[in-house]
Amino acid sequence: MKRENVSGLFGKAQVGYVLIESERLSDWRRFLQNGVGLHLASESDDLLAFRMDGHQRRLIIRLGPAEDVVALGLHLLDTTALDEVKARLCERDIPFNPGNPPDAALRGVRQYWHLNGPKKLGVEFFTEPLTTDEPLWMLPSGFITGDSGMGHVAITSRQPEKMRRFWLELFDARISDAIEESIACLTLDITFLRLNERHHSIAIAATRGLRMDPIRTRIQHMNLLVNTMEDLSAAYRRLIDLGFGMAHEIGQHPNDKEVSFYVVTPSGFELELGWNALTVSEATWKPADYYGISLWGHKPRNATLGNFITTNAGNFRRGMKSLLHPEFSPL
Ligand SMILES: [Fe+2]
C-alpha cells in the first residue's frame, strides 16, 4: 500500500523530554531545583519530575542504577509524522513498541512508542504532551523550548556513520556543520545535526583513526537553553555555591555562537547550560567546517596537571576497553 505522501520529517520532530535513571535523587533535586532552577513538578521516593514550560514534564529522574540518560523523547508534530516514522522503522525492520499507560504518565505524555536507538539509548516518540497552565516557580526568567524543543544531546560513538544515518534516514535530520577538536593526543570529529530550526538537537562525536568511546554514559552531555545572559550567570554562581563540579567554564562555540558552561551532573555526565544559540534559516544556511570547539573560554575548571593526567588516563583506559565491545546500532 502506498503511504500518504509527506513532504519529509524535517521540522516535525523536537526533543520533548529526557528520562534519566539515578540512585542520587536528592542530589538531582538540589542540582536541578536549587542550581539550574527548574520547577519541581513532582517528587516521590522513586521519581522526580521537572517543568520548564507548559509541558507537565520535561526532565524526569527515575530511581535506578544506570546513572545515565536512558531515553530521549521526541515530540512529533502530528499523527501523519508519527505514521511516517513507524513506516520507516518497519521498512528497516527496526523493532519498536508502544509504552504502557503508567510509563506514559511517568513521561508526561498521552501515549508513546519506544525503540532501542544507537548505543542502546532509548529513542521514544509521541505526539501529545500533557500540558498545564499552572504558574512556573523557576529561578531563571525562562528556558527556550517552543518549536525547536528542549536543548540538545551530544553522544560519543564508535560508529558515527551509522549513528548519523539513524537520524538522517528516520527523522530527515540535516547536517548543520562539523568541528574538529584536539583533546590530549586524540582528534575528535563532531557532527551537528538539526531536526528543526535549532542549530542542533543531536551532536555526534567520534575519535579519528582508531575509533574509541571514552565516555561511560550513553550521552556525553545534555543541553538546556536559558532566556538571558543574566540567567546563565546566576545559574553558574548558584551551581558553584552548591558545590557542583564545573567541567568547563563559560565560553562560546564557533558554530551556533552559543555562550555556555558545562557542569557535572550527579550521575556523572555533563549538563551544558547555554544562552543565545542561533537558529538556522534554511534559505541561506551553508554547512561549514570549524577547527576547535570554542571561540573562547570553556576551559577546564580544575586545570591542574594532575587532574589533566588522571582525567585523560581514565578516559583512555575506558576508550581502550570500549574496543572489546561492539556498539549497538539498530541500522
Ligand atoms: Fe552542546
Side-chain angles (χ1 to χ4, degrees):
M1 189 173 71
K2 199 166 179 322
R3 293 206 306 271
E4 184 185 347
N5 191 18
V6 291
S7 57
L9 290 170
F10 180 77
K12 295 176 184 168
Q14 53 175 266
V15 177
Y17 63 79
V18 169
L19 176 62
I20 294 160
E21 196 176 277
S22 174
E23 288 178 338
R24 300 166 191 160
L25 293 193
S26 62
D27 291 339
W28 269 105
R29 182 188 163 157
R30 272 179 68 236
F31 181 77
L32 289 177
Q33 187 181 26
N34 307 122
V36 178
L38 292 173
H39 176 114
L40 178 64
S42 179
E43 181 183 21
S44 66
D45 288 344
D46 55 6
L47 191 87
L48 297 171
F50 293 89
R51 285 178 60 203
M52 63 183 67
D53 59 8
H55 287 212
Q56 286 185 13
R57 295 183 173 189
R58 285 287 197 179
L59 277 180
I60 306 115
I61 328 290
R62 166 177 93 187
L63 184 67
E67 301 303 343
D68 200 353
V69 169
V70 290
L72 188 65
L74 292 175
H75 183 183
L76 301 177
L77 179 67
D78 52 26
T79 52
T80 309
L82 176 67
D83 290 344
E84 179 66 17
V85 170
K86 288 178 180 174
R88 292 183 187 189
L89 291 170
C90 290
E91 279 168 5
R92 290 163 180 78
D93 289 326
I94 298 175
F96 62 97
N97 293 300
N100 63 35
D103 286 341
L106 181 141
R107 287 154 173 79
V109 297
R110 186 91 45 209
Q111 200 180 9
Y112 76 100
W113 289 261
H114 172 101
L115 66 93
N116 271 333
K119 219 176 153 180
K120 291 256 168 81
L121 175 67
V123 173
E124 300 178 345
F125 43 98
F126 66 96
T127 57
E128 283 184 84
L130 302 176
T131 58
T132 172
D133 48 18
E134 291 282 310
L136 285 160
W137 295 93
M138 303 195 296
L139 300 177
S141 65
F143 290 82
I144 295 173
T145 52
D147 291 340
S148 347
M150 182 177 71
H152 64 251
V153 293
I155 309 172
T156 50
S157 175
R158 293 173 53 216
Q159 302 193 84
E161 296 84 4
K162 281 191 177 179
M163 196 178 277
R164 279 199 292 272
R165 268 185 57 212
F166 177 86
W167 295 103
L168 295 172
E169 289 183 15
L170 289 173
F171 297 97
D172 290 338
R174 296 179 182 172
I175 293 178
S176 291
D177 41 41
I179 296 182
E180 176 186 319
E181 167 76 357
S182 298
I183 299 176
C185 313
L186 293 175
T187 300
L188 272 185
D189 290 303
I190 312 165
T191 311
F192 296 82
L193 303 175
R194 66 184 185 280
L195 299 171
N196 50 54
E197 66 174 3
R198 165 98 18 95
H199 175 275
H200 60 283
S201 294
I202 312 286
I204 300 168
T207 54
R208 191 176 293 177
L210 186 62
R211 291 273 171 75
M212 296 192 290
D213 190 347
I215 304 298
R216 176 189 65 81
T217 46
R218 293 181 183 91
I219 66 148
Q220 191 274 331
H221 73 260
M222 60 170 291
N223 163 285
L224 301 176
L225 292 165
V226 289
N227 276 351
T228 68
M229 184 62 202
E230 178 52 32
D231 290 333
L232 191 69
S233 156
Y236 180 87
R237 295 196 309 271
R238 284 193 303 270
L239 287 159
I240 294 278
D241 289 347
L242 287 166
F244 291 105
M246 207 49 68
H248 294 279
E249 302 272 13
I250 288 180
Q252 186 175 24
H253 293 302
N255 54 350
D256 69 350
K257 306 292 187 276
E258 179 178 353
V259 176
S260 66
F261 63 83
Y262 294 73
V263 58
V264 181
T265 69
S267 290
F269 60 86
E270 295 171 16
L271 172 76
E272 179 186 24
L273 202 62
W275 165 71
N276 210 29
L278 62 74
T279 51
V280 164
S281 162
E282 296 301 323
T284 55
W285 186 258
K286 294 217 171 24
D289 293 316
Y290 296 88
Y291 298 90
I293 191 79
S294 306
L295 282 174
W296 57 269
H298 286 148
K299 296 279 179 267
R301 179 162 169 92
N302 189 0
T304 61
L305 182 63
N307 188 267
F308 178 82
I309 291 169
T310 51
T311 302
N312 283 306
N315 286 347
F316 185 72
R317 222 177 13 253
R318 257 197 306 273
M320 291 306 285
K321 263 175 81 178
S322 74
L323 298 176
L324 303 174
H325 307 287
E327 179 179 301
F328 177 80
S329 171
L331 280 172

